[in-house]
């Protein structure tokens, strides 16, 4: 009888430890930080002009600064973005 009680107690303790371990590991997902307005602007510019977002050539950056920043296209891109939850 003592062995049955000991096994039951050991099983309960193991289940509790397993449950705690599962709960602790389930909350480790990383959520990326929301994009800044500058990043969103650059991404929308590249999408509209067919550029790669990782292409940082001077002529592309100058075109971005000369024609896109503060433009009607940029404002339209911001207005069409989905709402971000806070």
């Amino acid at each position: 009888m003592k062995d049955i009680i000991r096994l039951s107690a050991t099983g309960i303790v193991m289940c509790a430890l397993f449950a705690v371990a599962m709960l602790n590991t389930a909350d480790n997902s990383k959520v990326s930080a929301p994009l800044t307005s500058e990043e969103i602007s650059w991404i929308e510019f590249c999408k509209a002009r067919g550029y790669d977002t990782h292409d940082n050539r001077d002529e592309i950056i100058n075109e971005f600064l000369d024609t896109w920043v503060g433009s009607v296209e940029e404002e339209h891109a911001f207005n069409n973005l989905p709402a971000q939850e806070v």
Side-chain angles (χ1 to χ4, degrees):
M1 186 69 166
K2 290 180 183 180
D3 290 337
I4 293 173
I5 294 172
R6 188 177 311 136
L7 286 175
S8 297
T10 304
I12 291 171
V13 169
M14 289 178 63
C15 286
L17 291 174
F18 181 71
V20 169
M22 291 295 290
L23 290 174
N24 283 341
T25 57
D27 196 26
N28 286 342
S29 61
K30 300 273 182 186
V31 176
S32 61
L35 296 174
T36 64
S37 61
E38 291 83 10
E39 292 168 325
I40 294 169
S41 182
W42 176 253
I43 291 168
E44 290 299 318
F45 166 78
C46 291
K47 190 185 329 176
R49 304 288 162 88
Y51 296 131
D52 179 21
T53 56
H54 301 290
D55 191 351
N56 294 328
R57 289 180 288 159
D58 287 338
E59 53 271 6
I60 295 174
I61 293 172
N62 287 335
E63 180 185 348
F64 170 71
L65 294 172
D66 291 342
T67 64
W68 184 264
V69 178
S71 68
V72 173
E73 292 172 298
E74 184 181 35
E75 185 176 338
H76 181 69
F78 277 114
N79 289 335
N80 289 331
L81 290 173
Q84 293 184 359
E85 293 182 16
V86 178

